[in-house]
Amino acid sequence: MARAQGARARMALAFETTYGTPPGSGYTRMPFASTTLGSEQPLLNSELLGYGRDPLAPIKDAVTADGDIVMPIDAAAFGVWLKAAFGAPVTTGTAPGPYTHTFQSGSWTLPSMSIETAMPEVPRYAMYSGCVLDTLSWQMQRSGLLTATASLVAQGEAVATTSGAGTPAELDLIRFGHFNGAITRNGVALGNVISAEITYANSLDRVETIRSDGMIDGADPGLAALTGKIEVRFADQLLVNQALAGDPCTLEFSYSLPSGPSFTFTAHAVHLPRPRIEIGGPQGIQASFDWQAARDATLGRMCTAVLVNDIEEY
């Protein structure tokens, strides 16, 4: 008997035309490292008395479908997650490329997706419809595998023994690595950075209307947030002085490959808190800045993501 193994699992994704309705075609095979995307329906204990010490049967509660997907930050497939986070990009370039895809924060309308996770050996094909991206986060550091985490809110799950995604399209996997990363502040390389964290949140609000199937009616974007953390080796007063003055700066987090593909994420108005500078021992002294980004009054947006690759459109 075949047993489910993560090494055999597959994932396919397509953007929906109608929220909660999986498309009949147009799926793309997505690279991923792990996923907790799933659906659950808890049971409510009976509160009724008068039938002895043994409880009566429980009843079903509402359905909750959500979870995280950990994926590589690459030159092609990551554009799908950027579209889920910010909406459709503005694309420039001519065949055969390269193409520049520019994503901007602030959109009131976010696309929904249908995502199928497949375990062919069971067989089990779970289609999650009405998936909307809540948060997208990643870390920059000196070494290790570069991945991002997308947190999703879905409407529901449908399990079948055959795939509903057909034959998904394949994308070339060209991964960025930590070695390809750089951080600048106001256009100047920011030194002494040990690690950085970036989190973009759409602050989704589940539309929990009364339905016979217990599912939600949608997930509406709320007030967006862009936050993060910079860990630096304390060598000068540059960031501390900015925190004391209360002035914003522009932080740019980027990756580029010698072959041409690149990914640049720019937070246009970053505010830094005054940090606590501690001397913990004889080792080097570090400082942490839990930064927050805001809307830039001149540009009219909080952040911009630019992906350069050979994909014509998303």
Side-chain angles (χ1 to χ4, degrees):
M1 181 181 66
R3 295 176 175 84
Q5 291 183 316
R8 298 179 181 177
R10 299 195 301 266
M11 178 179 292
L13 180 152
F15 287 100
E16 299 173 345
T17 302
T18 303
Y19 174 80
T21 302
S25 60
Y27 289 83
T28 300
R29 185 171 181 173
M30 301 297 294
F32 72 105
S34 64
T35 179
T36 61
L37 186 60
S39 178
E40 60 182 358
Q41 187 175 23
L43 298 175
L44 298 176
N45 295 329
S46 174
E47 84 286 18
L48 300 179
L49 307 176
Y51 294 89
R53 291 184 61 236
D54 295 334
L56 297 179
I59 61 173
K60 293 181 179 181
D61 201 3
V63 176
T64 300
D66 54 22
D68 298 341
I69 297 176
V70 178
M71 81 292 293
I73 297 182
D74 73 311
F78 195 61
V80 174
W81 299 111
L82 292 175
K83 179 179 178 179
F86 300 105
V90 175
T91 300
T92 58
T94 56
Y99 299 95
T100 300
H101 310 279
T102 303
F103 304 83
Q104 298 182 1
S105 62
S107 174
W108 286 105
T109 303
L110 298 178
S112 63
M113 305 167 286
S114 289
I115 300 175
E116 183 183 79
T117 57
M119 304 176 192
E121 68 280 3
V122 174
R124 184 182 191 271
Y125 295 86
M127 180 68 77
Y128 300 95
S129 56
C131 296
V132 183
L133 191 143
D134 191 15
T135 65
L136 183 65
S137 61
W138 70 95
Q139 293 184 340
M140 298 184 74
Q141 56 194 30
R142 185 174 181 271
S143 62
L145 294 174
L146 176 59
T147 59
T149 301
S151 297
L152 305 172
V153 172
Q155 184 184 48
E157 173 192 63
V159 179
T161 56
T162 58
S163 175
T167 303
E170 298 279 350
L171 295 175
D172 293 334
L173 181 60
I174 305 174
R175 293 188 69 170
F176 297 109
H178 288 293
F179 179 76
N180 309 118
I183 303 176
T184 64
R185 175 187 176 274
N186 292 337
V188 179
L190 185 61
N192 299 301
V193 179
I194 297 172
S195 64
E197 299 175 8
I198 303 98
T199 300
Y200 179 80
N202 280 313
S203 304
L204 296 181
D205 178 26
R206 287 179 168 90
V207 183
E208 297 179 329
T209 56
I210 299 174
R211 295 171 49 127
S212 59
D213 56 11
M215 298 180 182
I216 63 173
D217 249 354
D220 296 337
L223 193 65
L226 177 58
T227 58
K229 181 178 181 179
I230 296 179
E231 189 85 18
V232 298
R233 181 62 65 94
F234 194 61
D236 56 48
Q237 291 280 104
L238 178 66
L239 297 179
V240 174
N241 288 340
Q242 178 190 328
L244 293 175
D247 298 326
C249 71
T250 298
L251 289 183
E252 182 180 280
F253 309 90
S254 62
Y255 303 92
S256 60
L257 297 175
S259 57
S262 65
F263 169 53
T264 304
F265 185 85
T266 305
H268 298 292
V270 173
H271 296 262
L272 302 177
R274 179 174 178 172
R276 181 191 297 271
I277 307 298
E278 300 180 350
I279 302 175
Q283 292 82 15
I285 298 173
Q286 297 180 185
S288 296
F289 295 85
D290 294 313
W291 55 269
Q292 299 179 27
R295 178 181 180 271
D296 182 90
T298 302
L299 297 174
R301 60 182 181 274
M302 180 169 60
C303 61
T304 303
V306 178
L307 185 64
V308 178
N309 56 27
D310 61 356
I311 305 297
E312 187 173 358
E313 64 178 352
Y314 284 100

